[in-house]
Amino acid sequence: MASTYLPIEEHGVIGDLRTVALVGTDGTVDWYCPGRFDAPSLFASLLDAERGGFFSLAARTSSRPKQLYLPDTNILLTRYLTRDSVGEVTDFMVPETRDLTAARDLLVRQVTSVRGRTGFRLVCRPAFDYGRVPHDVGLVDGVGAVFTSPAGAFVLRTPVPLRVTDDGRGVEGVFDVDEGESVDVVLEWRGEVRPLQAGEVDALLTRTSEYWHRWVATSRYRGRWREMVQRSALTLKLLVYHPTGALVAAPTTSLPEQLGGARNWDYRYAWLRDAAFTVYGLMRLGFLDEATAFMDWVQKRCDEASVEKDVSIMYSIDGDPDLPESVLEHFEGYRGSRPVRVGNSAVDQRQIDVYGEVMDSVYLYNRRVPISYDLWTALGKRLDWLADHWQEPDEGVWEVRGPRQRFTYSALMTWVAYERALRVARDRGLPAPTEKWRKIANKAHRFVQEDCWDPELRAYVMHPGSRSLDASLLVMPLVKFAGPTDPRFLSTLDRIGEELVSDSLVSRYAITGHDGLEGEEGTFNLCSFWYVEALTRAGRLTEARIVFEKMLTYSNHLGLYAEEIGPSGEALGNFPQAFTHLALISAAVNLDAALDRDR
């Protein structure tokens, strides 16, 4: 029974391009929302060890687990080394991209004894709808077990002899596997009550392996850090909701930014900012299908917007901007970190910067695949809206829940929005109010240079009148706002290095209460990789490589990152996080190129 909390970093992730499951090194699936990322959970012991539900499958005796991915796939293998045997559990979900009507919600677990006779124990105790809905358990001869509730049903198929647990909420089974033999276990949401067929799981495993091998083979990356870059790409692909092309910021909710703190958010939605950056990262590796799907998704969001209601900063994976935030009061939270939130009230915030990130991704995409006239028209209407509102205060890139400000980063991205729009119009000969856009771009540029530069600090600050540094401004040379050796930027880079960087780890800003929240947070992995790229652009390649390779040591054993790193090097925040893996890809590609030129 799941009774304690594994560290966040002690997890791998598997998925089928519609949802994912987190699998701990102890063999426990402690997070799984069937069907789609933002569905109510079936297993959530990651957020409440007793009420959340779990699915455990591991060696019975004391063992030393080792977890790894089969190369160039999202197939997870957990190996148990006991005194007398070596046993393995292979976990995967089956992507379906050709015929979504045929997609099945499968979570597959195959048990094998590699050496000796290995004893295993299976316990499946679900908790439907975040543990809010009761369920019935039924054993079916020759099939396994069936779980039914008002929130849905699933069938657990396995030849393992099962019994209902003493609490009546799950099933368990104890079994041995001889050397060279395998035992299959398949969970299917809304599945047909039927036994497993001979060779069924082997066929699914082969199909899944071939899918991931084909996908990775299209990558253009051949640089120094191939394994980490490919793992980041594979992780990003898992976070795409294939039916719509939306990409979630992370597949979990309420994993804390501080243990015991309240900085716990639901990230199972598509932020325009995150998705735009991530498409950029995948495009750098040659994955154009994902970029095309995202552009279609963006166009739909722009078409739905109006003068009265602009685009939202985030949406559900199928484009719904209504994401009411509520608290699961009955969940204790990861290691007591409450509240556990579902939904995200930041959806109602104003974040001016998203236009710059979207237009930057459109510009980059258009260099490879010409955008449609309809998309251009939809984007033009949003730029008209931005022209009337960009000088207003907002909550900014960090989604502060304190007073609105005229954040430097938002003005910087306003310049990016119009500068990139002007480039697209010029390159394609598309109709545009170029003089109007040029004037706004120039005005935003001057605002950053004249109002957001502090001559005493010799640095750009978070917003006019602030004395706080902001790591988001590391992107200035990345978006070509400042030359990489511009004295003002170099001075800002040095100040950030002095005040926000510790052993390659970068904080977003100094926590001073300006964000409207109590407590602390870890260092921000995204900013650490932005720091690498800023050093690279500045020509400080030795330092950049040291910082980058040190950051690689902060990933977990599988090369995965949560949002933040805690004071003891532990993972904090939702996991795995798209933004971090995007920034790793971008930093690696650009550092590779700079090192090659330098050599």
Side-chain angles (χ1 to χ4, degrees):
M1 178 180 293
S3 59
T4 58
Y5 295 92
L6 273 182
I8 294 170
E9 63 269 21
E10 287 293 315
H11 289 86
V13 60
I14 57 175
D16 60 5
L17 310 184
R18 289 176 294 128
T19 190
V20 305
L22 266 58
V23 185
T25 53
D26 63 354
T28 300
V29 177
D30 54 13
W31 179 255
Y32 173 59
C33 301
R36 51 186 283 160
F37 293 105
D38 55 356
S41 64
L42 183 66
F43 304 125
S45 58
L46 189 62
L47 297 178
D48 192 299
E50 294 302 319
R51 302 176 187 87
F54 65 93
F55 181 9
S56 175
L57 182 56
R60 287 201 307 273
T61 58
S62 177
S63 62
R64 294 177 287 116
K66 182 178 182 180
Q67 201 174 54
L68 61 150
Y69 282 111
L70 297 185
D72 289 344
T73 76
N74 281 311
I75 298 171
L76 187 65
L77 187 147
T78 307
R79 179 174 295 138
Y80 296 93
L81 309 177
T82 73
R83 185 178 63 182
D84 303 316
S85 66
V86 177
E88 294 176 347
V89 178
T90 301
D91 290 305
F92 63 97
M93 297 170 71
V94 185
E96 178 58 70
T97 59
R98 296 178 182 176
D99 182 6
L100 293 177
T101 61
R104 297 162 61 193
D105 297 309
L106 298 173
L107 198 165
V108 185
R109 317 194 73 179
Q110 186 176 67
V111 180
T112 304
S113 184
V114 177
R115 182 177 64 80
R117 182 180 178 90
T118 309
F120 288 89
R121 181 170 186 242
L122 178 157
V123 183
C124 182
R125 195 184 80 183
F128 289 80
D129 188 19
Y130 305 113
R132 296 180 295 192
V133 176
H135 62 269
D136 294 322
V137 183
L139 299 179
V140 182
D141 288 342
V143 176
V146 176
F147 297 79
T148 57
S149 83
F154 73 89
V155 57
L156 186 69
R157 300 191 190 98
T158 182
V160 173
L162 300 174
R163 61 175 290 273
V164 177
T165 55
D166 292 342
D167 60 13
R169 296 159 59 188
V171 296
E172 61 184 355
V174 175
F175 60 102
D176 295 326
V177 183
D178 290 327
E179 183 173 319
E181 299 293 323
S182 295
V183 172
D184 300 330
V185 184
V186 175
L187 184 157
E188 183 171 9
W189 181 252
R190 298 188 298 269
E192 181 184 351
V193 181
R194 61 168 182 80
L196 277 175
Q197 302 301 311
E200 182 177 349
V201 165
D202 288 337
L204 291 172
L205 179 60
T206 298
R207 181 171 135 206
T208 301
S209 178
E210 290 176 349
Y211 172 82
W212 289 117
H213 286 151
R214 284 195 306 271
W215 188 80
V216 168
T218 63
S219 172
R220 297 197 309 252
Y221 183 77
R222 300 293 183 269
R224 294 166 174 80
W225 303 285
R226 182 186 180 279
E227 185 175 350
M228 290 297 293
V229 169
Q230 302 294 61
R231 178 51 51 198
S232 289
L234 284 160
T235 303
L236 289 171
K237 180 65 172 173
L238 278 183
L239 303 185
V240 173
Y241 183 66
H242 184 76
T244 65
L247 182 139
V248 296
T252 57
T253 180
S254 300
L255 292 180
E257 297 174 16
Q258 179 189 26
L259 287 180
R263 295 171 182 260
N264 317 318
W265 317 109
D266 192 347
Y267 274 17
R268 298 173 296 160
Y269 307 111
W271 271 253
L272 283 181
R273 174 192 308 113
D274 294 28
F277 272 123
T278 305
V279 166
Y280 166 69
L282 291 174
M283 282 180 60
R284 295 298 298 269
L285 304 183
F287 298 113
L288 290 181
D289 288 346
E290 289 72 23
T292 299
F294 171 67
M295 288 303 159
D296 291 341
W297 187 81
V298 167
Q299 181 173 335
K300 290 183 177 72
R301 306 292 79 79
C302 291
D303 287 341
E304 293 164 358
S306 64
V307 174
E308 294 77 20
K309 183 169 177 57
D310 190 38
V311 291
S312 177
I313 64 166
M314 74 176 86
Y315 296 86
S316 73
I317 50 181
D318 51 12
D320 189 349
D322 186 22
L323 308 174
E325 184 177 296
S326 60
V327 174
L328 301 179
E329 299 286 359
H330 63 293
F331 270 7
E332 72 171 6
Y334 174 80
R335 298 192 175 184
S337 301
R338 304 182 69 183
V340 175
R341 294 181 170 95
V342 173
N344 199 313
S345 63
V347 69
D348 297 320
Q349 291 187 358
R350 175 168 291 175
Q351 296 174 20
I352 298 294
D353 62 284
V354 298
Y355 300 90
E357 287 121 359
V358 169
M359 284 307 306
D360 198 28
S361 68
V362 168
Y363 163 71
L364 293 165
Y365 178 76
N366 182 71
R367 292 168 59 182
R368 299 290 302 276
V369 182
I371 63 169
S372 68
Y373 179 76
D374 290 338
L375 176 56
W376 179 248
T377 301
L379 292 169
K381 292 178 181 178
R382 304 327 329 142
L383 291 173
D384 288 343
W385 185 94
L386 180 61
D388 295 331
H389 298 280
W390 76 272
Q391 297 181 82
E392 299 172 3
D394 69 347
E395 279 84 4
V397 62
W398 302 133
E399 299 184 350
V400 300
R401 299 203 175 193
R404 286 182 171 181
Q405 302 287 348
R406 285 200 66 189
F407 288 103
T408 306
Y409 183 81
S410 296
L412 164 66
M413 282 296 160
T414 297
W415 174 85
V416 170
Y418 290 105
E419 199 276 341
R420 299 306 190 265
L422 287 165
R423 289 193 188 205
V424 174
R426 182 187 65 240
D427 294 346
R428 292 280 312 283
L430 292 166
T434 54
E435 190 55 34
K436 175 185 177 181
W437 289 356
R438 188 172 291 108
K439 286 181 179 178
I440 298 174
N442 290 340
K443 192 170 183 178
H445 199 288
R446 284 194 297 271
F447 174 79
V448 173
Q449 298 288 15
E450 296 171 6
D451 294 77
C452 304
W453 169 257
D454 188 312
E456 293 183 11
L457 285 177
R458 298 293 300 168
Y460 295 103
V461 291
M462 183 173 283
H463 56 78
S466 171
R467 299 280 291 178
S468 295
L469 297 171
D470 181 351
S472 69
L473 302 183
L474 289 167
V475 306
M476 283 184 165
L478 282 59
V479 299
K480 304 187 188 313
F481 177 89
T485 57
D486 179 273
R488 284 190 172 194
F489 175 73
L490 290 179
S491 179
T492 302
L493 178 62
D494 288 339
R495 291 305 303 268
I496 288 175
E498 294 166 4
E499 296 189 22
L500 298 182
V501 179
S502 173
D503 189 42
S504 82
L505 303 174
V506 182
S507 299
R508 295 188 292 177
Y509 44 74
I511 301 293
T512 57
H514 73 276
D515 58 8
L517 298 166
E518 296 181 356
E520 300 291 327
E521 65 178 23
T523 56
F524 217 67
N525 293 324
L526 165 69
C527 297
S528 297
F529 288 115
W530 275 351
Y531 185 58
V532 170
E533 197 157 351
L535 291 170
T536 300
R537 303 290 179 111
R540 292 157 59 174
L541 300 186
T542 299
E543 186 179 356
R545 183 167 188 170
I546 290 172
V547 172
F548 180 74
E549 293 183 337
K550 187 62 180 289
M551 269 305 297
L552 297 184
T553 70
Y554 282 102
S555 74
N556 81 345
H557 56 288
L558 297 168
L560 304 179
Y561 290 87
E563 185 174 37
E564 300 180 6
I565 300 293
S568 300
E570 73 276 19
L572 291 176
N574 286 306
F575 173 89
Q577 200 215 22
F579 232 159
T580 298
H581 287 280
L582 150 84
L584 184 155
I585 290 171
S586 185
V589 169
N590 285 289
L591 182 54
D592 258 323
L595 290 169
D596 288 344
R597 288 193 301 269
D598 188 59
R599 185 176 59 186

